[in-house]
Amino acid sequence: MADYVLAIDQGTTSSRAIIFNHAGQIVESGQLEHEQIFPKAGWVEHDALEIWKNVREVVALALTRANLTHRDIVAVGITNQRETAVVWDKTTGEPVYNAIVWQDTRTQKIVEELGGTEGAEKYKAKVGLPLATYFSGPKVKWILDNVEGARAKAEAGDLLFGNTDTWVLWNMTGGKDGGVHVTDVTNASRTMLMDLSTLNWDEGIAADMGIPTSMLPEIRSSSEVYGKGREGGMVPGVPIAGILGDQQAATFGQACFEVGMAKNTYGTGNFMLINTGTEQIPSENGLLTTVCYKIGDQPAVYALEGSIAVTGSLVQWLRDNLGIISSAPEIEDLANTVDDNGGAYFVPAFSGLFAPYWRADARGALVGLTRYVNKGHIARAVLEATAFQTREVLDAMNADSGVDLTELKVDGGMIANETLMQFQADILGVPVVRPQVAETTALGAAYAAGIAVGFWNGEQDVIDNWAEDKRWEPSMDEGDRERLYRTWKKAVTKTFDWVDDDTEA
């Protein structure tokens, strides 16, 4: 009997392969970063062929390091950066353009034209999402409108679209030689093209965006066998049996299976999800209604999500663009050289503001500066920006769900930063809880795949495997908390209305 599940985590900055055992513990892993391509201000692209090459390599790395072969793997799960759109030729297997990344803002004019007089709310009742540059559908329209010959090929049925889960699955199952063209409900719910109630593509919205439905992958559940690894690949014959968008995968890996349970992932951006059960809750407070997961034939479970565009990537920016630190972990030591932010607030609206504002016209601002402020204060302001943005999302979530969260489960790369975690608990006023296995995104995809093939017996095994590592209790005075938060809200208003009509997005 094969004893392990392999998860492929195709993320925004890197691709990883992680091997898990039955207890949900990491056995071994491999990771490779891919190039971030910035052709113009506001444009963000990835090379989909580089991503596919890296996926193959990290799978080989993880298996080699664990001294395992494909025969030891019972199933493969895939999790991925959502909303990043890949369009490729099904006969050659070649992308017609680079993948357009979720952070990219080039589709702003398309979004405004689609909204017309109805604006951002036009499709929200059906798809749970406001019209915004964030989602995949407008990106596909941009590719078909701007890449020579793409529209004709699409209308002839020669082009395929997918988020990176679909791209990886298609290639893993054979590519142009019989590759499976499938996505799961969680990824489909991030395109603006899927009806949340029927879990099918909405032909009317696809037509509005000029996207032939022949390009769209088949929508399946998050936990079932989609196909098997191709001959000549790293996992030949192994069932590929789980797909979850990265934030939904983390929610699954954190065992948030009950209504009202929530998690927050600290990655390139931050994403908080609260389980709302089999009921869709339309947001009145700038959140997204999304599919949380669907296990096989069971009903879909929904979530409310607060998406924050820039958190971990702000630390990268401090490292790569300004050179204030030489490695990401250094920010904690630098922030700890001072006692507070010195009055400085950093609002990282690099690609506009996501939840709860949805302001594409916003741009980043560092405010409250005096001669007193030094690089330690700026480092602290960078960390605090993540916590303040999370507080805004939590407030919206409490208002929409009618349930006040009593604690927040956290995961992702930034939770190693204890200074940030303590400030997060302080500014929220609720405990922050870190699990023993912090790689909950890959773990969630592994669970979905393992459940599909009977390696795990459903959600209860996930709950039994989850264990707490550390908890931070709030210790800040209530008056200080509200004063800091009030000043943050004032800082956010300084980023609005920056992009004019004659400014490049």
Side-chain angles (χ1 to χ4, degrees):
M1 172 70 181
D3 290 325
Y4 305 97
V5 174
L6 172 71
I8 293 166
D9 179 357
Q10 201 301 292
T12 306
T13 56
S14 69
S15 300
R16 289 183 298 182
I18 304 182
I19 296 167
F20 293 95
N21 62 20
H22 196 268
Q25 301 294 321
I26 293 173
V27 176
E28 211 27 283
S29 65
Q31 180 170 5
L32 283 172
E33 290 195 2
H34 53 262
E35 186 186 358
Q36 305 296 310
I37 303 164
F38 305 107
K40 294 184 184 179
W43 292 31
V44 191
E45 298 175 1
H46 294 154
D47 177 347
L49 290 174
E50 181 192 10
I51 284 174
W52 169 229
K53 174 181 158 292
N54 285 1
V55 165
R56 298 201 303 277
E57 204 168 319
V58 295
V59 170
L61 273 173
L63 289 169
T64 304
R65 287 171 178 169
N67 199 24
L68 299 172
T69 74
H70 66 275
R71 292 182 183 85
D72 300 299
I73 306 298
V74 69
V76 177
I78 297 171
T79 181
N80 60 294
Q81 50 169 328
R82 308 167 306 170
E83 304 97 14
T84 293
V86 188
V87 175
W88 69 96
D89 187 313
K90 69 181 184 186
T91 49
T92 65
E94 295 281 324
V96 299
Y97 190 80
N98 279 338
I100 302 183
V101 181
W102 56 273
Q103 300 143 308
D104 189 285
T105 57
R106 79 186 66 185
T107 55
Q108 184 56 34
K109 286 201 165 48
I110 289 175
V111 161
E112 288 165 6
E113 285 164 11
L114 284 167
T117 54
E118 295 164 83
E121 304 290 301
K122 184 173 181 180
Y123 303 123
K124 197 171 179 190
K126 265 192 178 172
V127 302
L129 314 171
L131 257 166
T133 60
Y134 181 24
F135 307 108
S136 318
K139 297 177 171 66
V140 179
K141 175 172 168 55
W142 188 93
I143 289 172
L144 297 183
D145 288 349
N146 289 279
V147 176
E148 195 175 340
R151 182 163 295 287
K153 273 188 169 179
E155 285 168 359
D158 293 333
L159 297 189
L160 301 178
F161 151 72
N163 290 346
T164 61
D165 63 306
T166 301
W167 169 245
V168 169
L169 176 71
W170 186 79
N171 280 296
M172 285 188 77
T173 52
K176 59 186 181 182
D177 301 315
V180 174
H181 189 224
V182 158
T183 192
D184 89 301
V185 285
T186 67
N187 273 288
S189 76
R190 313 299 292 197
T191 59
M192 296 211 76
L193 298 167
M194 186 187 84
D195 185 313
L196 276 183
S197 301
T198 65
L199 307 181
N200 292 321
W201 299 120
D202 186 289
E203 293 189 5
I205 299 174
D208 284 359
M209 295 193 194
I211 300 170
T213 52
S214 60
M215 294 178 71
L216 304 178
E218 184 185 347
I219 301 173
R220 305 270 280 275
S221 82
S222 312
S223 178
E224 62 176 274
V225 177
Y226 313 109
K228 294 189 173 177
R230 67 199 170 95
E231 289 305 316
M234 295 297 159
V235 285
V238 179
I240 301 168
I243 299 176
L244 287 157
D246 52 10
Q247 304 314 320
Q248 287 92 338
T251 311
F252 204 83
Q254 286 272 40
C256 294
F257 298 129
E258 290 179 31
V259 174
M261 292 181 88
K263 69 87 208 178
N264 197 27
T265 297
Y266 296 72
T268 304
N270 262 37
F271 302 88
M272 192 189 299
L273 273 77
I274 185 168
N275 183 326
T276 64
T278 52
E279 180 190 2
Q280 298 171 43
I281 296 184
S283 175
E284 304 295 325
N285 294 281
L287 302 180
L288 312 175
T289 306
T290 197
V291 180
C292 195
Y293 59 87
K294 184 181 189 310
I295 302 301
D297 296 332
Q298 296 173 31
V301 171
Y302 295 91
L304 281 169
E305 176 177 330
S307 314
I308 304 166
V310 177
T311 55
S313 56
L314 182 56
V315 178
Q316 283 181 321
W317 182 84
L318 207 65
R319 179 193 70 192
D320 300 341
N321 292 40
L322 297 193
I324 288 177
I325 52 174
S326 56
S327 70
E330 281 177 36
I331 193 168
E332 186 166 14
D333 292 336
L334 184 55
N336 285 331
T337 61
V338 294
D339 293 330
D340 54 38
N341 64 16
Y345 290 79
F346 201 145
V347 187
F350 291 163
S351 51
L353 288 167
F354 284 10
Y357 297 100
W358 298 104
R359 293 288 295 254
D361 60 358
R363 284 299 176 268
L366 180 55
V367 298
L369 299 184
T370 58
R371 281 292 299 271
Y372 172 71
V373 171
N374 64 33
K375 63 184 180 182
H377 296 116
I378 290 173
R380 187 167 278 270
V382 163
L383 293 181
E384 291 182 356
T386 294
F388 285 128
Q389 290 181 100
T390 297
R391 164 75 188 267
E392 293 190 291
V393 166
L394 186 79
D395 287 355
M397 219 160 248
N398 287 342
D400 271 341
S401 67
V403 182
D404 283 358
L405 280 188
T406 54
E407 65 176 33
L408 185 64
K409 288 182 172 182
V410 298
D411 53 70
M414 290 179 89
I415 66 169
N417 189 315
E418 307 226 343
T419 303
L420 171 59
M421 290 298 100
Q422 183 58 56
F423 186 76
Q424 185 68 87
D426 287 343
I427 212 70
L428 294 180
V430 299
V432 167
V433 184
R434 180 170 76 191
Q436 283 182 6
V437 178
E439 298 298 345
T440 53
T441 302
L443 183 58
Y447 280 139
I451 287 169
V453 298
F455 185 69
W456 285 295
N457 295 317
E459 292 96 319
Q460 191 57 48
D461 277 357
V462 182
I463 294 165
D464 294 345
N465 281 348
W466 190 91
E468 182 176 314
D469 171 51
K470 185 163 182 179
R471 160 182 301 258
W472 288 267
E473 297 285 347
S475 59
M476 186 180 281
D477 173 77
E478 176 73 23
D480 289 342
R481 175 188 303 138
E482 292 315 310
R483 176 180 53 78
L484 287 169
Y485 187 49
R486 182 188 74 232
T487 315
W488 163 262
K489 300 278 272 190
K490 191 194 301 184
V492 172
T493 65
K494 307 303 178 192
T495 71
F496 296 164
D497 297 315
W498 191 259
V499 178
D500 296 326
D501 288 343
D502 60 350
T503 316
E504 278 273 336

